[in-house]
Amino acid sequence: MSFVPRIYIDLDQSITLVANEPCYLSATIAHYLGNVLRLKKGGRVILFNNRDGEWIGEIEHISKNKGVVHLLEQVRLPILAHGPTLLFAPLKRDATDLAVRMATELGVRIIQPVQTLRTNSQRIKDERLLAIAKEAAEQSNRLTIPEIRSLCSLFEICDVWPHDKPLLIALERGNERKIDATFQPLYNGNEGLLIGPEGGFDECEIEKLLSYKFILPISLGNLVLKAETAIAAGLAKLFPYVKA
């Protein structure tokens, strides 16, 4: 079967995916399909978002900055996003990009960058992270796009965190805090996962974090992981319960 590109249609665009109706593409999408992928009239494309579901369509017209797709059939119904929240300290640019991509592929519903004492980067471009998340959703067959929230202080988030919602945190470096690696809490996919910066949390941050009753220390194994690796390892624990 030949490759059929998947394209996310932004909810803020005045486009509704409806059977047998023309879908007028944005200039950016038309350029990508026509000039990058070299698709022609009659080519197939998949359009999707979590409001309208996923549709297969046929290109009626494509040019440099305009395009029209005739929607043929809905192949997936819309769904309500169900998945964990990722809180992480921003890393260097490539590592942050990788973290967002992996989080999207593993079904995260909300991505929340947090400022800690050892955060490597304080410059976050929400639009760039959203673009990476959209691309990852298109490539991974995901129907929804994670919500990208603006950088915020770690403890501002903790102070308003729902007390009945566990927030998992890996604290491998503290030898005095022996964590039972065999302990397996009952996840439902709506938990939060908190991953600290390279070098880990400051000691005063750890003490304050452990004072919150919703904080749940977990183990990611015996090795010290890079932050982006820890994100993937932690989310893998929650992955079976995600619906995205």
Side-chain angles (χ1 to χ4, degrees):
M1 181 178 178
S2 60
F3 167 71
V4 178
R6 295 181 77 242
I7 303 296
Y8 177 76
I9 301 298
D10 285 309
L11 296 176
D12 58 359
Q13 295 184 19
S14 58
I15 298 174
T16 301
L17 304 180
V18 180
N20 297 315
E21 292 288 337
C23 177
Y24 296 92
L25 305 176
S26 68
T28 300
I29 294 175
H31 170 78
Y32 175 69
L33 294 177
N35 297 337
V36 179
L37 297 185
R38 304 288 185 181
L39 294 183
K40 307 293 184 182
K41 180 178 179 180
R44 293 295 176 96
V45 62
I46 294 173
L47 306 179
F48 73 98
N49 58 41
N50 58 299
R51 182 193 62 203
D52 303 322
E54 185 172 78
W55 295 75
I56 189 163
E58 182 178 278
I59 296 176
E60 289 186 347
H61 168 76
I62 196 78
S63 63
K64 182 177 181 180
N65 57 3
K66 293 181 181 180
V68 181
V69 172
H70 181 72
L71 297 176
L72 301 174
E73 179 186 5
Q74 186 181 47
V75 292
R76 291 171 69 186
L77 294 172
I79 64 171
L80 181 64
H82 178 80
T85 298
L86 171 65
L87 286 71
F88 77 104
L91 308 163
K92 294 179 181 179
R93 174 168 164 162
D94 288 348
T96 293
D97 292 355
L98 177 60
V100 171
R101 178 172 295 280
M102 291 190 298
T104 302
E105 292 175 355
L106 289 170
V108 163
R109 185 171 61 89
I110 298 171
I111 297 176
Q112 173 67 72
V114 295
Q115 182 70 45
T116 70
L117 292 177
R118 295 176 181 169
T119 297
N120 288 334
S121 175
Q122 300 182 16
R123 300 176 60 187
I124 291 291
K125 292 184 178 180
D126 297 350
E127 297 82 2
R128 174 179 173 79
L129 299 189
L130 181 59
I132 292 171
K134 289 178 182 177
E135 182 180 291
E138 290 170 348
Q139 295 177 351
S140 63
N141 205 40
R142 176 171 173 167
L143 190 59
T144 64
I145 303 297
E147 176 186 347
I148 307 292
R149 294 186 176 174
S150 297
L151 181 68
C152 189
S153 164
L154 170 60
F155 292 109
E156 286 182 14
I157 298 296
C158 288
D159 287 343
V160 298
W161 190 265
H163 288 191
D164 60 347
K165 180 178 178 179
L167 180 56
L168 285 59
I169 177 175
L171 297 176
E172 313 292 351
R173 293 177 182 272
N175 293 329
E176 72 283 5
R177 300 182 190 86
K178 296 298 182 181
I179 301 172
D180 183 2
T182 64
F183 174 62
Q184 295 293 331
L186 296 177
Y187 305 137
N188 62 25
N190 273 326
E191 295 81 6
L193 174 67
L194 170 59
I195 300 295
E198 295 289 357
F201 294 104
D202 185 86
E203 185 65 28
C204 68
E205 290 177 315
I206 294 176
E207 291 183 7
K208 186 170 182 179
L209 282 168
L210 293 178
S211 70
Y212 293 97
K213 295 189 180 301
F214 52 78
I215 289 289
L216 178 62
I218 62 170
S219 173
L220 298 179
N222 296 324
L223 302 179
V224 176
L225 306 179
K226 293 189 69 174
E228 59 268 35
T229 308
I231 288 172
L235 291 176
K237 289 178 173 287
L238 304 175
F239 181 73
Y241 312 96
V242 169
K243 183 179 181 182

